Amino acid sequence: MEETIEVHGPTVVQGRLPVYGAKNSVLKLMAAALLAPGCSTITNVPEIQDVTVMAELLRRLGCDVHYDAAGRTVAIDVPEELGHQADYDLVRAMRASISVLGPLMARCRRAEVALPGGDAIGTRGLDMHRAGLEAMGATLSIERGFLRASAPGGLVGATYRLGYPSVGATENLMTAATTARGVTVLENVAREPEIVDIGRMLQAMGARIDGLGTTTLTITGVSALHPVTHRTVADRIVAGTWAFAAAVTGGTVEIAGAEPEHMAVVLDKLRAAGCEITTGQGVLTVRGPERPRAINVSTLPYPGFPTDLQPFVVALNAVAEGSGIITENVFEARWGFTAELERLGARVHLDGHHARVDGVPARTLSGAPVEAMDIRAGAALVIAGMAAEGTTEVSGVEHIDRGYEHFVENLSAAGVAVQRRVSAGRG
């Protein structure tokens, strides 16, 4: 027996949908709190499973963590003496756990972090994390499934250029450098709004960081940081999910709490698909067309089109007029869910890191049992099921719960015929 999401199509999303703090930020903000003894409080926290996992990881490191889901806050009381080992049972469940590596090196001068797991969307090695810390004077090795790092004399400032603007490596090296002796210059860093959010929290804690939002960060080490209260940036991926739901179903959504300035490329693509988009008074309104036009998209690091929204482009093109080409430049294994989409009748043709999707009228799609393989693919399958005739049953909903707060309840309140059920599964 397993829990599934059952959607009865065709169904249209109409109404107001909320956006809270970004999953891809809040987990790293929680890790950054390790840098300062005392109680830091993070607000605008989404009610998702990954926050619970990160809270437990911090507890095992010695912190007292109070997660108030209803109040959307996490209070993290960090001790003077921290533990330095992040265990496999938690790290394998959530790759963001690796973000404790930088803070632990800054505070403890050593860390043992299990090699991470997370979504099955491609390899995401730790080479840049490792090379950047080695440039700062750390010694690292992999032993018995753990990345072990130490710098008994403390980290020292260095200049390091990332081979790729990795979000995770940028976060770990930025946090590690906050208390390193001297000046650290990180080049070719990630520029995502979530990186800027973490940097602003670090600055409020007393870190000296220049260049947030650019390709180069200059970090002058300080002797100590202090706890703060910090509000999490809005989740642009959840906002994009709701926007694509409107585009695919021909509905209208008012997205409350989004920050459209972080979604410029996404909104341009939705306009190209035929959506009408307006902003004002803290609400982003997206009106989907009767039938969308196919769009071409290449995923790239920010400010390019985000890889996390790629599955929704595939779902849109599946019911669009014409054919669209999607190029995946970030995660090579993100196409796995397309086989599930084809079970609904989508026409997807894969060629390396490209996919051509030939659109068919939505009524041509028919509901079927499908399986979510990661957070975003699961949500995209639900949205595709909204457009299909009949019932689509999505298993693997634990992935969706990792990234979306009250996903089914929010869609149901916006008029979608969707519910959670206990199912015997596909086997």
Side-chain angles (χ1 to χ4, degrees):
M1 304 298 289
E2 65 178 328
E3 196 170 19
T4 62
I5 293 176
E6 189 175 274
V7 56
H8 306 279
T11 183
V12 177
V13 60
Q14 298 275 10
R16 194 176 183 94
L17 289 163
V19 173
Y20 298 109
K23 166 190 177 292
N24 291 335
S25 185
V26 69
L27 304 175
K28 321 305 177 57
L29 297 172
M30 293 172 68
L34 294 170
L35 288 163
C39 188
S40 286
T41 300
I42 301 166
T43 66
N44 196 32
V45 175
E47 187 178 349
I48 56 175
Q49 183 61 31
D50 275 12
V51 173
T52 301
V53 175
M54 181 60 83
E56 178 58 26
L57 175 56
L58 297 185
R59 290 188 188 103
R60 293 196 194 178
L61 293 172
C63 301
D64 183 8
V65 183
H66 178 65
Y67 174 26
D68 178 3
R72 304 198 174 280
T73 62
V74 175
I76 305 164
D77 197 349
V78 181
E80 291 287 345
E81 297 293 330
L82 272 173
H84 66 278
Q85 180 171 303
D87 295 327
Y88 176 62
D89 65 319
L90 293 174
V91 177
R92 73 171 181 171
M94 184 184 68
R95 185 180 173 88
S97 304
I98 195 65
S99 60
V100 301
L101 176 61
L104 289 179
M105 287 300 294
R107 281 290 312 280
C108 305
R109 301 186 178 185
R110 60 174 176 162
E112 296 181 11
V113 181
L115 297 178
D119 293 328
I121 56 177
T123 57
R124 297 188 279 189
L126 300 178
D127 289 352
M128 286 181 284
H129 304 246
R130 183 171 180 170
L133 289 172
E134 287 176 338
M136 297 166 68
T139 300
L140 292 94
S141 63
I142 294 177
E143 302 174 25
R144 299 181 180 181
F146 279 83
L147 178 66
R148 302 181 188 274
S150 66
L155 297 173
V156 295
T159 296
Y160 177 72
R161 180 177 180 83
L162 282 71
Y164 176 87
S166 159
V167 170
T170 299
E171 291 161 348
N172 264 327
L173 299 179
M174 178 170 60
T175 53
T178 55
T179 58
R181 296 193 306 277
V183 177
T184 300
V185 179
L186 301 176
E187 300 174 341
N188 196 33
V189 297
R191 294 182 284 164
E192 275 75 359
E194 296 79 18
I195 292 287
V196 175
D197 193 31
I198 297 160
R200 286 176 177 162
M201 176 174 167
L202 295 173
Q203 288 174 330
M205 296 171 77
R208 296 176 60 188
I209 303 174
D210 294 316
L212 288 175
T214 75
T215 59
T216 300
L217 295 176
T218 302
I219 305 161
T220 303
V222 298
S223 59
L225 300 178
H226 56 81
V228 293
T229 295
H230 179 84
R231 179 180 174 84
T232 312
V233 71
D235 197 319
R236 60 196 171 99
I237 305 303
V238 171
T241 299
W242 301 147
F244 272 96
V248 170
T249 67
T252 300
V253 293
E254 295 178 347
I255 306 169
E259 298 188 26
E261 63 270 24
H262 296 160
M263 304 172 61
V265 172
V266 174
L267 297 181
D268 283 347
K269 290 296 182 181
L270 285 167
R271 290 187 184 97
C275 293
E276 297 180 15
I277 298 171
T278 57
T279 60
Q281 297 182 333
V283 175
L284 169 66
T285 301
V286 180
R287 297 177 178 85
E290 182 175 346
R291 185 182 181 189
R293 296 186 292 268
I295 55 177
N296 299 325
V297 165
S298 293
T299 66
L300 290 167
Y302 190 85
F305 194 93
T307 181
D308 278 355
L309 290 179
Q310 179 253 87
F312 303 96
V313 180
V314 180
L316 181 143
N317 282 348
V319 298
E321 183 177 355
S323 298
I325 302 293
I326 301 117
T327 302
E328 177 54 59
N329 294 307
V330 181
F331 292 129
E332 75 281 356
R334 195 145 217 170
W335 299 122
F337 87 102
T338 61
E340 301 299 299
L341 199 59
E342 287 177 310
R343 290 173 56 81
L344 304 181
R347 298 177 181 176
V348 184
H349 311 274
L350 300 179
D351 181 11
H353 63 124
H354 305 284
R356 188 186 82 238
V357 185
D358 299 326
V360 299
R363 64 181 179 274
T364 304
L365 299 184
S366 57
V370 293
E371 181 179 3
M373 298 178 180
D374 66 75
I375 299 170
R376 311 307 172 184
L381 287 169
V382 172
I383 289 173
M386 295 180 198
E389 292 277 354
T391 300
T392 297
E393 188 178 50
V394 182
S395 60
V397 300
E398 67 276 4
H399 293 295
I400 298 173
D401 291 339
R402 287 184 50 218
Y404 293 91
E405 172 179 323
H406 304 307
F407 184 70
V408 168
E409 293 84 352
N410 282 321
L411 288 175
S412 180
V416 177
V418 62
Q419 60 186 324
R420 295 179 80 109
R421 294 179 62 89
V422 176
S423 166
R426 293 172 61 175

